[in-house]
Amino acid sequence: MNVLMIAPPGAGKGTQGVVIAAHFDIPHIATGDLLRDHVARGTDLGRQVRDYLDRGELVPDEVVLTMVREALEATDRRGYVIDGIPRTMDQARALYDIGVEMGSTADVALHLEVDDEELVRRLLARSSKEGRSDDTEGVIRRRLALYYEVTHPILEWYGERGILVSIDAMRPADQVGRQILTALEVVRQMVDGDPEHPRRPIDLTGLGRAFGRTD
Ligand code: AP5
């Protein structure tokens, strides 16, 4: 099972990514966690990206794509749940190309739907416990604005590919987890019944149209 999670900050990508990984026994690759780990260890990459994270801005595409490619290569290719990427149109294209190269394009793009005020409430509640540098109200609002402007339009493209699954994630985390696993089990049966299901060649031009491009 190959799962991409695309959702706004605080929607529960990390929380549910762990649940999905455990259920399907697949690795959980979270770009935010990988970046924060570099910052905490003080690596060159960590020094390069720290300011982006603190301000809630997107790290350059090539940095996250290199990191995710390495993480995927380190797996045994039995599947994945990736949270935090793609966030831009170029990341979506590049991730698809990496998937084709490695024979592991996404089976499902999982979208978690949560109201903005609930997202802010969750992240401010987390800030008092974990103290993440980007969990201040101003930076949370910036992350949300970037999500709607740059990331949310990608969902349309996954919808056109027929692999988009949207879940109401306003309810308690355990209920959301159960609903996700039920939906993903249905997808698993479809994938098992049709091994080519998500791996047919696809037209990437629609991804440009989703962002208002006409070329
Ligand atoms: P990242 O770490 O991915 O942050 P994010 O997208 O802002 O998401 P969060 O981790 O804040 O939220 P989440 O959806 O994972 O929710 P969670 O489960 O934690 O990225 C951080 C930064 O890294 C970015 O801003 C950017 O700078 C950079 N970056 C990362 N990827 C990048 C990329 N591809 N390109 C460029 N830059 C990139 O839950 C949040 C809280 O809510 C928790 O306290 C949790 O316990 C609680 N909660 C979860 N579910 C529920 C529920 N159902 N009910 C109540 N509370 C809940």
Side-chain angles (χ1 to χ4, degrees):
M1 176 67 77
N2 300 329
V3 183
L4 295 180
M5 302 184 81
I6 302 171
K13 299 183 295 296
T15 304
Q16 303 302 342
V18 170
V19 172
I20 296 166
H23 181 82
F24 290 102
D25 190 23
I26 52 179
H28 174 210
I29 298 170
T31 52
D33 288 348
L34 292 173
L35 290 165
R36 281 186 291 277
D37 181 56
H38 274 283
V39 172
R41 288 188 288 121
T43 65
D44 286 347
L45 192 146
R47 280 190 290 279
Q48 203 184 321
V49 301
R50 179 181 199 134
D51 191 45
Y52 290 96
L53 267 68
D54 288 350
R55 289 184 293 119
E57 299 295 336
L58 294 182
V59 167
D61 288 347
E62 59 275 17
V63 173
V64 275
L65 285 164
T66 302
M67 213 176 59
V68 168
R69 178 190 281 277
E70 286 170 2
L72 280 171
E73 284 171 352
T75 70
D76 60 8
R77 316 267 172 115
R78 69 180 189 280
Y80 56 73
V81 51
I82 296 182
D83 106 45
I85 188 171
R87 272 171 144 100
T88 66
M89 179 175 69
D90 287 341
Q91 287 181 14
R93 286 182 203 273
L95 198 59
Y96 175 73
D97 289 340
I98 292 171
V100 170
E101 203 182 298
M102 297 178 71
S104 61
T105 53
D107 298 313
V108 52
L110 183 65
H111 173 219
L112 307 179
E113 293 180 15
V114 179
D115 293 352
D116 287 1
E117 289 319 305
E118 171 65 7
L119 296 171
V120 174
R121 188 200 67 72
R122 287 182 190 178
L123 295 178
L124 288 177
R126 182 175 67 186
S127 75
S128 60
K129 286 181 266 170
E130 297 181 17
R132 236 173 81 167
S133 64
D134 56 351
D135 279 347
T136 59
E137 181 147 8
V139 177
I140 291 168
R141 298 273 178 204
R142 174 63 186 153
R143 287 154 62 199
L144 267 177
L146 265 179
Y147 171 79
Y148 288 114
E149 183 188 333
V150 181
T151 306
H152 190 265
I154 304 171
L155 293 171
E156 182 184 330
W157 180 65
Y158 288 106
E160 286 173 12
R161 277 178 66 187
I163 65 167
L164 181 65
V165 172
S166 289
I167 299 281
D168 173 3
M170 285 291 285
R171 286 162 304 144
D174 57 337
Q175 291 181 26
V176 175
R178 280 198 293 278
Q179 195 187 343
I180 288 173
L181 295 182
T182 302
L184 292 184
E185 281 296 347
V186 173
V187 174
R188 169 149 72 174
Q189 285 171 24
M190 285 165 58
V191 171
D192 287 350
D194 174 9
E196 294 302 308
H197 157 69
R199 301 196 175 87
R200 297 182 197 99
I202 55 156
D203 179 2
L204 286 168
T205 56
L207 193 51
R209 282 200 301 277
F211 283 77
R213 283 192 189 170
T214 52
D215 54 346

